[in-house]
Every structure is written in C-alpha cells, then in structure tokens.
Amino acid sequence: MMNTSENIFYLIGSDGSRYVPYKKENRKNGKYGYEILPSGYGNDPSRAEYTEDVEQLVRKVVMEGLLVRSRVVGGMQDGQSNSVGLPSARRRTIKGYWLTPNLRYLTAGAQLQSEARSDDVVHFPNAEEDILSARNLPNDETQRKAVIDARRGQGKFRDALDSWWAGCAVTGCLTRELLRASHIQPWREASNADRINRDNGLLLAAHLDAAFDQGIISFSDEGNILINTHRLPAKQAALVGIHHGLRLRRVESGLLPYLARHRQLYGFA
C-alpha cells in the first residue's frame, strides 16, 4: 500500500481490522497529504488540514483527538475509506491504535497508549538518519553546520559540554575518548536553538550515553538516576556498573525543563 502510514501508524477497529491513514489530494484546493479533520466534520473536506509529516499526524490524532481519512484493511469493510478517530463516548468503531516503537515518545502522557505487536522492535535513529530526516535545519550554512555537528556529538556543542562538565556528568571520568555529548531532549524533536544549547546536554560515559539516549535511564530534578528495570534488570545493570547510587555531579536550573521532558518521553514522569 503506497503513500500510507501502514508501517508506522494505524488505528485498530473494534473487529480487529486496520484503519490505515493514507495521503490524498484535495481536488478543490490542491492540498496533499494525510487528511485530518475536526470531530464532527469527518465528511467535510473543506474543514480538513493536510500534512505529509507522520509525526504531526500522530500528534493530531492521538494527542488532540482529531479524525484522519483512512482505508480499511480486513473485516467486513475491507477496502472502504472512512474518517476515523480514537474511541470516545460517540465513537466506538475504533478500539485503539498501533505506533512503531521508536516513535512512541510522541504519545507520552496520552490517555490511550499504543497496542503491542509480536514483531515490535525498537529502532532509535542514529545521527545520520536523524540528520537526513530533519525538516527544519537552518538555512544559514554556519548555523546549519553547528546544528548537524551537535547531533554527531561534535563541534561547539561538544566543546561546551567538555568545558562545563569537565568529565562524565555522572562518574567524573576524564578520558575524552570514552565520553559522548548526549542531548537530553532528543535532537530529532528539539528546536534548532535547543539542539545546540549546552543546558540540553550531558557529557556521559559511552555506556551511560547509550542507556540515556534510548530511555533506559533518566535523572530526577535532584540528579538521582532513574532506571527502567523492565528494560534493564538489576543483574544486567550491575554488569555495566549502573545502579541506584549514581547521580549527576551537578544540577543547574537550566537542565530542569530538559530533564522533565526526557522523563516524560520515556515514561519516568
């Protein structure tokens, strides 16, 4: 199925069928993309907004409760097209949704969370994947380079963290080759200003950076480590030296909103 969100996001009907959002063109105004409509106006394209951005689609449907034009796959209505949204007092056709695991941070705090599939595999984009998919990089070449370098853990962002933390933010390790410049609010969802903001960064030993980047660990406002023991059981954590006695060596006020966002994204809030 072309031009759909089938491999990323779809709604699940009460009969188990899939309602897959698809891109379409509004013939009257030429707009193209996923057709998103306010509740109660599912058959009125004049009220629709269109986006080709799947992340925006997910936020609109899951977080804001809007409708999306979808094609039914399976069940009695297979092949039909309808505008559907998540279940409410008036909407019972849909019982839930599925969202690819590496985008589930988008729906942190939502009342209804994604259903799981047996083939769910979390894939966190690497630096080059993030850079290739970024839509809002600065036009100015100097600023653009600084933002891209920051995602690669290089440039002025890395230099600022080296200077500020003077070693791993947790262990104090000074061996630069073992340290990584880690964004607190993920680069992929941050503004360009936040992508190069020192307050949105931690200098971490490589194993802590990997765990933090994938949301296996986080930190409280007091700097205490938080560990997702479902993803990293105590025995495995001990093997890599991660334990509840670890904490950030300092916590400045500028870090707090970013730490709060990280906890929210990865289910610690």
Side-chain angles (χ1 to χ4, degrees):
M1 197 181 294
M2 300 296 291
N3 295 320
T4 78
S5 65
E6 185 171 23
N7 295 323
I8 301 172
F9 171 69
Y10 57 79
L11 294 92
I12 303 171
S14 55
D15 62 353
S17 57
R18 285 174 287 151
Y19 286 70
V20 182
Y22 64 93
K23 297 176 185 177
K24 60 173 296 189
E25 182 180 5
N26 185 315
R27 294 181 181 179
K28 290 188 176 181
N29 58 28
K31 292 182 178 180
Y32 176 80
Y34 298 109
E35 186 178 84
I36 300 170
L37 301 114
S39 182
Y41 294 91
N43 295 312
D44 185 358
S46 68
R47 301 293 297 267
E49 59 180 295
Y50 294 83
T51 181
E52 296 187 60
D53 186 340
V54 176
E55 293 188 12
Q56 184 179 11
L57 164 68
V58 171
R59 289 190 178 102
K60 292 288 185 179
V61 175
V62 178
M63 305 304 287
E64 298 181 29
L66 301 184
L67 309 179
V68 61
R69 197 72 176 172
S70 304
R71 186 169 290 117
V72 186
V73 179
M76 297 292 291
Q77 299 185 59
D78 183 60
Q80 295 186 25
S81 178
N82 295 297
S83 295
V84 293
L86 294 184
S88 68
R90 295 193 302 165
R91 299 198 298 259
R92 302 182 185 277
T93 303
I94 302 298
K95 69 173 184 177
Y97 66 95
W98 176 82
L99 177 63
T100 186
N102 56 295
L103 289 183
R104 288 179 188 169
Y105 70 86
L106 295 171
T107 59
Q111 185 174 0
L112 188 63
Q113 291 296 308
S114 172
E115 294 196 7
R117 295 193 327 198
S118 60
D119 61 345
D120 279 352
V121 177
V122 178
H123 170 67
F124 289 90
N126 61 34
E128 300 311 313
E129 290 172 328
D130 270 348
I131 292 165
L132 283 173
S133 64
R135 296 170 177 263
N136 61 335
L137 294 173
N139 293 321
D140 179 84
E141 285 300 320
T142 300
Q143 295 177 3
R144 187 183 185 91
K145 183 178 186 304
V147 168
I148 289 175
D149 283 348
R151 179 61 185 93
R152 292 171 174 157
Q154 302 169 357
K156 293 181 179 179
F157 180 71
R158 172 63 190 255
D159 291 343
L161 294 184
D162 279 340
S163 176
W164 181 251
W165 288 101
C168 173
V170 175
T171 68
C173 173
L174 296 174
T175 305
R176 195 175 192 272
E177 293 79 3
L178 298 179
L179 304 178
R180 302 290 182 267
S182 185
H183 285 86
I184 303 174
Q185 180 181 6
W187 186 95
R188 70 185 68 91
E189 73 144 39
S191 67
N192 286 316
D194 286 334
R195 286 169 172 168
I196 57 176
N197 186 348
R198 182 199 67 187
D199 286 337
N200 188 28
L202 296 174
L203 191 64
L204 295 171
H207 68 302
L208 294 174
D209 166 67
F212 185 76
D213 187 56
Q214 298 191 34
I216 294 173
I217 65 172
S218 191
F219 296 95
S220 71
D221 283 350
E222 294 71 38
N224 298 314
I225 195 170
L226 305 171
I227 305 171
N228 184 329
T229 55
H230 294 289
R231 297 178 65 191
L232 185 64
K235 184 176 180 179
Q236 298 302 312
L239 292 174
V240 291
I242 294 178
H243 55 83
H244 288 288
L246 297 177
R247 57 178 289 111
L248 294 175
R249 293 187 290 122
R250 60 199 287 188
V251 179
E252 303 291 336
S253 60
L255 290 177
L256 298 182
Y258 297 109
L259 289 175
R261 180 59 177 154
H262 188 272
R263 293 194 300 270
Q264 180 187 43
L265 286 176
Y266 295 109
F268 290 97

